[in-house]
């Protein structure tokens, strides 16, 4: 009962004090708002980079060309052998008959058409293929080697060199962007904590009086922590609005893809709420701990 | 029965200044003691150690049975609840009314509103401020602000009231009024230790007087012994 009363008083006083110290509260809230906007932009960017790079990587396909004299039976058996390998996306192993391939090629170009249209199944130099996707692009080289060892597979191609290069570049991009987000969040935490510290410095007297009349340390810290929490929540409102409406507008404006069909934007749906939640959490946690640390300084003799 | 016992107490600040040397002092329950002495002789340091704003460097201090030197930082509030403290500069919350300032001391203890109200009104009455309960500190005179501070210090019924130059900012007439309030509180059984520079007051009240010089007690006058 007593604990609830103290808690109730703390919450009430925290709200009061946010308004009583309005200019300082406003400074803290603005600081939180501005830094969280920067964080929001960088999170949205990073997650999108992560998203479209992995989409592109997912698109990388290994093509296994089968020997020309292969029988239907062997083709089926081959399928089992392929999916028995590691690192294969089992639902994405697709057989393509050579005649189908010819048809596709002829549809694409007049030149191909004039050359290929009279080839029969037996004459055709084109080979049947299995198109294979891997689960981990970093191991694609080894998977290709494994495929090469299979008897009825003649040649294996996946854009060697190019793919490795791509993976490497994407890897760097992802790591750098994550590093930027993490350091931005740290800088934000520092900035917010510092602003709150300055705000609390001006209330040293209040803390001293609380101590003087016999408030326990936790009793002194709690209202300030609630206050930090409130500031954090208030400060994250605008960044969240910007994320929710801004990103949705951006997504709709670009029709879900940036410049080319390869750079797909993440669908706003759950994404914007996830980012909002992260922003709110940062605001709340940093607000609370910033206050906690600032007050703690005054509770030592 | 001694409510305060100081034995061989020494205080050296981090800066190297020693403010109190080998000090012994016992104060009985219900006593009224003035602590006087020239500026910088260690009066404030002495009483700060009583409510553990400062820790003694060596020696032993017992306040109401608590070994002050041994209280951990997180437990200081337990001592503070047994002691009321009043300063020269009142230390009131400027954004709170007289009533709120006094009630604050009970709120932090977690008392329900229904218990807080009568207690606050009672002490405001005792210090003669019942009709100014709703005023903010900047609408009160210095003497009135000090009354609020005294009310706050005694509202939870501490056994000891410590005052550091409570009349330092007040004119002689107002000072005497404050002294009347303190005497009334003392009569109700509260032990009072008061640091002051105002020897007129000291002479007039005829209480025990401890004279400090350079961190040592040089004279301990019994009631009525002190003369200018
Ligand atoms: N926090 C501190 N750190 C370092 N030295 C201090 C501190 N507080 C007081 N002192 C020193 O300790 C000595 C005693 O100071 P104290 O405040 O106890 O004197 P005082 O008798 O209360 O003086 P006054 O009558 O002017 O209030 C002084 O030399 C002072 O400079
Ligand atoms: Mg002093």
């Amino acid at each position: 009962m007593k604990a609830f009363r103290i808690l109730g008083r703390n919450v009430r006083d925290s709200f009061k004090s946010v308004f009583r110290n309005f200019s300082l509260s406003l400074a803290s809230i603005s600081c939180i708002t501005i830094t969280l906007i920067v964080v929001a932009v960088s999170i949205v960017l990073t997650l999108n980079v992560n998203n479209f790079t992995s989409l592109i990587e997912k698109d990388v396909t290994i093509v296994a060309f089968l020997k020309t004299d292969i029988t239907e039976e062997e083709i089926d058996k081959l399928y089992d052998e392929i999916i028995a390998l590691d690192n294969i996306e089992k639902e994405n192993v697709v057989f393509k008959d050579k005649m189908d391939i010819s048809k596709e090629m002829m549809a694409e170009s007049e030149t191909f058409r004039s050359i290929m249209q009279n080839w029969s199944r037996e004459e055709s130099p084109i080979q049947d293929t299995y198109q294979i996707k891997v689960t981990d692009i970093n191991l694609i080289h080894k998977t290709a080697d494994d495929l090469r060892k299979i008897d009825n597979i003649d040649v294996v191609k996946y854009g060697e060199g190019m793919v490795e290069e791509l993976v490497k570049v994407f890897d760097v991009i992802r790591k750098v962007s994550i590093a930027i987000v993490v350091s931005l969040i740290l800088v934000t935490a520092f900035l917010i904590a510092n602003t709150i510290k300055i705000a609390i410095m001006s209330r040293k007297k209040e803390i001293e009086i609380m101590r003087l009349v016999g408030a326990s340390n936790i009793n002194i810290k709690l209202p300030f922590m609630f206050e930090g929490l409130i500031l954090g929540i208030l400060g994250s409102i605008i960044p969240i609005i910007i994320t929710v409406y801004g990103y949705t507008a951006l997504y709709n404006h670009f029709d879900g893809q940036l410049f080319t069909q390869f750079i797909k934007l993440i669908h706003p749906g759950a994404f914007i709420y996830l980012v909002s939640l992260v922003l709110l959490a940062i605001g709340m946690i940093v607000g609370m701990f910033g206050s906690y640390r600032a007050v703690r300084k005054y509770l030592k003799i | 029965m001694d409510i305060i016992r100081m034995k061989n107490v020494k205080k050296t600040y981090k800066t190297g200044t020693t403010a109190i040397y080998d000090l012994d002092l016992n104060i009985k329950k219900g006593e009224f003691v003035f602590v006087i002495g020239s500026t910088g002789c260690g009066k404030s340091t002495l009483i700060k150690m009583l409510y553990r704003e400062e820790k003694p460097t060596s020696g032993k201090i017992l306040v109401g049975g608590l070994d002050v030197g041994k209280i951990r930082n997180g437990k200081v509030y337990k001592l503070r609840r047994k002691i009321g403290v009043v300063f020269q500069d009142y230390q009131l919350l400027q954004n709170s009314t007289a009533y709120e300032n006094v009630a604050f001391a009970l709120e932090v203890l977690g008392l329900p509103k229904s218990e807080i109200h009568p207690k606050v009104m009672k002490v405001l009455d005792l210090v003669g401020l019942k009709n100014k309960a709703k005023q903010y500190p900047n609408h009160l005179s210095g003497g009135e602000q000090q009354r609020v501070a005294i009310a706050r210090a005694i509202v939870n019924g501490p056994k000891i009231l410590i005052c550091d130059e409570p009349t330092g900012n007040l004119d002689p007439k107002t000072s005497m009024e404050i002294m009347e309030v303190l005497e009334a509180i003392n009569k109700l059984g509260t032990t009072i230790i008061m640091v002051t520079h105002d020897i007129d007051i000291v002479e007039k009240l005829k209480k025990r007087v401890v004279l400090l010089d350079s961190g040592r007690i040089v004279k301990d006058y019994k009631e009525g012994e002190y003369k200018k």
Side-chain angles (χ1 to χ4, degrees):
Chain A
M1 198 48 220
K2 189 174 142 191
F4 277 114
R5 258 199 310 270
I6 292 179
L7 198 73
R9 184 182 66 80
N10 283 338
V11 175
R12 199 183 62 233
D13 283 4
S14 304
F15 273 103
K16 264 198 223 160
S17 128
V18 166
F19 291 102
R20 270 183 187 167
N21 302 285
F22 186 71
S23 56
L24 284 166
S25 300
L26 198 67
S28 303
I29 292 171
S30 318
C31 167
I32 295 172
T33 300
I34 291 165
T35 48
L36 281 187
I37 288 172
V38 177
V39 168
V41 170
S42 68
I43 289 180
V44 166
L45 273 177
T46 301
L47 291 182
N48 268 297
V49 165
N50 269 288
N51 180 58
F52 85 73
T53 50
S54 43
L55 279 183
I56 291 175
E57 287 180 356
K58 270 227 175 68
D59 237 28
V60 171
T61 308
I62 299 181
V63 184
F65 296 90
L66 311 187
K67 297 220 165 106
T68 35
D69 53 359
I70 197 164
T71 66
E72 296 260 330
E73 231 169 87
E74 282 170 326
I75 289 172
D76 287 344
K77 222 184 98 214
L78 191 57
Y79 176 81
D80 294 332
E81 279 180 75
I82 291 172
I83 63 166
L85 292 175
D86 289 339
N87 198 30
I88 302 288
E89 258 186 34
K90 297 190 169 48
E91 64 279 16
N92 264 324
V93 176
V94 181
F95 176 72
K96 273 208 171 169
D97 181 82
K98 62 174 140 188
M99 295 316 282
D100 292 341
I101 298 172
S102 308
K103 256 186 229 150
E104 275 174 27
M105 288 172 78
M106 286 190 290
E108 258 173 45
S109 126
E110 211 30 60
T111 330
F112 282 151
R113 196 181 157 73
S114 57
I115 300 169
M116 294 160 92
Q117 63 184 335
N118 296 321
W119 288 350
S120 69
R121 177 174 279 276
E122 285 66 37
E123 293 170 332
S124 171
I126 292 179
Q127 291 162 290
D128 293 334
T129 65
Y130 264 113
Q131 310 212 335
I132 301 155
K133 293 207 170 151
V134 293
T135 46
D136 183 356
I137 189 119
N138 293 302
L139 302 174
I140 195 166
H141 187 76
K142 189 185 168 292
T143 308
D145 282 346
D146 289 344
L147 287 166
R148 284 192 187 100
K149 286 188 197 119
I150 296 175
D151 247 353
N152 280 317
I153 293 179
D154 187 17
V155 175
V156 175
K157 286 228 156 40
Y158 63 89
E160 292 92 328
M162 222 274 283
V163 168
E164 275 91 355
E165 212 46 46
L166 193 76
V167 170
K168 238 189 266 166
V169 171
F170 282 176
D171 213 42
V172 170
I173 292 177
R174 278 192 293 239
K175 278 189 181 135
V176 168
S177 63
I178 287 171
I180 290 174
V181 167
V182 169
S183 40
L184 262 176
I185 289 176
L186 289 179
V187 169
T188 301
F190 178 78
L191 271 177
I192 296 174
N194 234 33
T195 315
I196 290 176
K197 198 164 116 193
I198 291 164
I200 284 180
M201 231 150 73
S202 71
R203 293 165 64 190
K204 188 169 170 239
K205 195 175 160 195
E206 199 177 319
I207 295 173
E208 279 169 1
I209 292 172
M210 289 174 104
R211 270 180 75 89
L212 199 67
V213 297
S216 61
N217 284 357
I218 186 70
N219 238 325
I220 298 174
K221 282 176 202 159
L222 269 181
F224 282 98
M225 282 169 75
F226 273 120
E227 217 179 305
L229 192 79
I230 295 165
L231 294 180
I233 292 172
L234 293 179
S236 54
I237 290 176
I238 292 174
I240 285 175
I241 290 174
I242 290 180
T243 306
V244 170
Y245 292 99
Y247 184 73
T248 309
L250 187 91
Y251 183 88
N252 292 336
H253 179 75
F254 285 108
D255 238 352
Q257 57 193 38
L258 215 53
F259 314 125
T260 90
Q261 54 170 339
F262 294 114
I263 303 185
K264 292 238 187 313
L265 294 172
I266 301 175
H267 190 269
F271 175 66
I272 48 175
Y273 295 109
L274 188 82
V275 175
S276 301
L277 215 64
V278 170
L279 294 177
L280 186 67
I282 295 175
M284 280 166 46
I285 292 171
V286 174
M288 218 161 75
F289 278 92
S291 301
Y292 174 82
R293 288 200 30 190
V295 175
R296 209 179 47 171
K297 220 185 83 182
Y298 296 112
L299 298 182
K300 286 182 191 143
I301 307 182
Chain B
M1 233 281 282
D2 291 334
I3 198 162
I4 292 171
R5 276 169 177 265
M6 302 179 82
K7 188 118 192 79
N8 279 326
V9 174
K10 188 180 170 192
K11 172 69 191 179
T12 306
Y13 283 106
K14 281 198 201 86
T15 53
T17 315
T18 299
I20 296 289
Y21 293 91
D22 300 325
L23 186 134
D24 291 324
L25 179 64
N26 293 330
I27 294 173
K28 287 197 185 60
K29 213 168 171 180
E31 257 189 300
F32 195 129
V33 183
F34 285 114
V35 178
I36 59 170
S38 53
T39 263
C41 70
K43 305 181 294 295
S44 296
T45 306
L46 170 64
I47 58 169
K48 275 181 186 166
M49 288 191 288
L50 296 179
Y51 59 93
R52 204 185 168 290
E53 189 61 31
E54 295 291 349
K55 265 186 178 175
T57 313
S58 63
K60 197 174 174 95
I61 301 177
L62 291 173
V63 174
L66 284 174
D67 190 339
V68 176
K70 288 206 177 115
I71 301 174
R72 278 189 296 123
N73 217 341
K75 300 281 179 223
V76 170
Y77 71 94
K78 292 194 168 166
L79 172 72
R80 299 280 169 91
R81 288 175 186 185
K82 292 178 187 269
I83 302 175
V85 190
V86 175
F87 298 98
Q88 179 172 3
D89 59 357
Y90 326 129
Q91 299 277 2
L92 299 175
L93 294 169
Q94 293 301 316
N95 294 323
S96 302
T97 62
Y99 180 92
E100 287 166 348
N101 265 287
V102 178
F104 185 62
L106 296 176
E107 282 173 359
V108 299
L109 305 182
L111 260 66
K113 266 210 172 78
S114 57
E115 277 179 47
I116 291 176
H117 185 75
K119 286 191 180 188
V120 174
M121 290 320 287
K122 203 177 131 204
V123 286
L124 283 177
D125 193 24
L126 180 65
V127 299
L129 272 188
K130 208 171 182 177
N131 54 343
K132 305 245 166 148
K134 293 214 169 71
Q135 302 284 324
Y136 285 89
N138 56 354
H139 291 158
L140 295 172
S141 71
E144 287 167 340
Q145 290 188 52
Q146 193 58 290
R147 286 162 193 261
V148 176
I150 292 169
R152 181 183 64 192
I154 60 167
V155 70
N156 69 339
K159 295 274 175 290
I160 305 168
L161 180 61
I162 294 174
C163 312
D164 196 346
E165 302 185 39
T167 59
N169 288 346
L170 307 174
D171 60 51
K173 184 172 167 285
T174 316
S175 296
M176 272 324 291
E177 286 166 12
I178 291 293
M179 292 318 297
E180 278 160 24
V181 171
L182 290 179
E183 274 202 281
I185 293 165
N186 179 235
K187 286 229 170 68
L188 294 173
T190 309
T191 309
I192 297 185
I193 300 139
M194 172 171 156
V195 170
T196 186
H197 281 292
D198 192 337
I199 49 170
D200 288 336
I201 286 179
V202 175
E203 193 175 25
K204 211 165 183 176
L205 264 73
K206 306 197 187 325
K207 305 290 185 189
R208 181 180 170 191
V209 179
V210 171
L211 175 62
L212 227 58
D213 186 28
S214 308
R216 293 186 167 87
I217 294 178
V218 291
K219 193 94 175 107
D220 192 343
Y221 301 90
K222 293 203 178 61
E223 288 184 13
E225 272 185 11
Y226 181 81
K227 296 272 177 317
K228 264 201 265 191

